[in-house]
Amino acid sequence: MRTSTLLLLALLTASVGHAVTFTENFTGDPSLDGWQVFGNTNLFQWNATNKNLVATWDSTQTNTYFYHPLGTTITKNDDFSVTFDLNLNDIASGVEPGKTGPLQLGFEFLNFAGATNASFQRGNFGTVPNVAGFDYYTDGYYTFGSSVFPSAAATVPSFISGVNSFDYAPQDISIFDNELPTGQVVHVSMSYTASNQTAIVSTSVNGVAIASLPPLALNSPNGFGDPTDDFLADTFCVCSYSSVGDDFDSVLAHGTVANLVVSVPPPAQNLGVTFTNGAWQVQFTDHLNWLYTLERTTNFSSWTGASIQAAGNGTSLTLSDTNAPSSAACYRIRADRP
């Protein structure tokens, strides 16, 4: 069970809630900010002079991640977002014999224990549970029998269930055709909204959009048809994936990443407080698949439940303390996973 706390101070006249947010502009050593490299450390190097991350995506190498733990676990019932500046020097598929299709550059939320397992093979369909993030594919060619089919470049929000890793959104990446230029700084943004379980990706250069990309909903047409389909991710990674397990795809790319911001808002937001009919009431925006309790303290040494536990409905909740003490008290909202 995971617990998140939002504290209401000064007799509920103020609220304090902190999102999980990592802002990395690479002005200092990112390892001091909690960033680490798993795999081949030569693929991701901090450039102190240019204040960016020098990245190589090489499918001939083992799975390699420049990563930061979230300190929490996100699911399809949590809002989250990532933005960054990507400057690709070069990118090519077909860099391994017979593997002419493209393998992705990944900017993804992963389950770290699963992603670092040898069985996690990003290009091998069905072996990579618990994925949520942004992928870029350059163009390439797929060979089926004696026929060769071109594949367009694509910028894609990608989601893979942890319940069944064959549940994959999107089913058709062709609707996300969008080639990113090389030699230019491309600002990439992906945001996911839990209330409608929809992801939106945008890409721009100097503030001008590169393409108009459709939103992606985690629904039946997009591979998330079972209500139990979900993902559990606890780490954000810039990913260089190996082509092991993939007989068709490869990639070699070089570039830089800068101004990286990862944000996971708290499970309760927009708190408001009223005193109605002799009871303190706290209203807030909630999320599905969370259980909420109003808690009270008079000494900050111990907390007691001041309301019955209520399930989030994906919109808003009101919790009340109908038996408030006569002395001053402080309150907080406790949010638990079922």
Side-chain angles (χ1 to χ4, degrees), residues 258-277:
N259 300 316
L260 178 58
V261 180
V262 178
S263 182
V264 181
Q269 298 173 267
N270 306 315
L271 277 70
V273 180
T274 59
F275 189 74
T276 304
N277 297 325

Side-chain angles (χ1 to χ4, degrees), residues 24-213:
E24 186 54 64
N25 55 20
F26 299 100
T27 56
D29 185 345
S31 68
L32 300 179
D33 295 330
W35 294 92
Q36 303 174 62
V37 177
F38 171 87
N40 186 344
T41 57
N42 292 326
L43 298 186
F44 295 110
Q45 298 284 326
W46 172 50
N47 187 314
T49 301
N50 295 330
K51 298 179 176 55
N52 57 30
L53 179 72
V54 179
T56 299
W57 292 267
D58 185 349
S59 58
T60 68
Q61 305 298 306
T62 60
N63 286 342
T64 299
Y65 311 120
F66 176 77
Y67 72 95
H68 196 305
L70 298 178
T72 187
T73 300
I74 60 172
T75 74
K76 68 180 181 181
N77 296 305
D78 296 291
D79 295 339
F80 54 87
S81 65
V82 57
T83 63
F84 55 92
D85 292 334
L86 175 64
N87 191 340
L88 286 173
N89 299 329
D90 55 78
I91 181 170
S93 60
V95 295
E96 298 180 58
K99 299 184 179 184
T100 58
L103 195 65
Q104 65 268 62
L105 315 186
F107 298 81
E108 299 175 337
F109 296 87
L110 303 175
N111 181 285
F112 191 71
T116 53
N117 191 293
S119 64
F120 192 92
Q121 301 170 347
R122 191 66 174 86
N124 187 3
F125 190 67
T127 69
V128 284
N130 297 307
V131 175
F134 167 84
D135 293 328
Y136 177 61
Y137 298 81
T138 189
D139 53 5
Y141 292 89
Y142 290 105
T143 302
F144 297 95
S146 59
S147 301
V148 178
F149 301 90
S151 64
T155 52
V156 185
S158 296
F159 294 83
I160 305 176
S161 171
V163 178
N164 179 352
S165 61
F166 287 91
D167 293 333
Y168 186 106
Q171 295 284 291
D172 179 10
I173 69 171
S174 65
I175 61 174
F176 295 95
D177 289 355
N178 179 25
E179 184 172 12
L180 300 183
T182 57
Q184 298 185 63
V185 176
V186 179
H187 183 69
V188 179
S189 172
M190 192 195 89
S191 61
Y192 173 82
T193 303
S195 60
N196 57 8
Q197 297 188 354
T198 297
I200 296 177
V201 167
S202 64
T203 56
S204 61
V205 174
N206 295 322
V208 179
I210 296 176
S212 177
L213 299 170

Side-chain angles (χ1 to χ4, degrees), residues 8 28 35 146 188 234 256 278 301:
L8 282 74
W35 294 92
S146 59
V188 179
D234 56 21
T256 61
S301 296

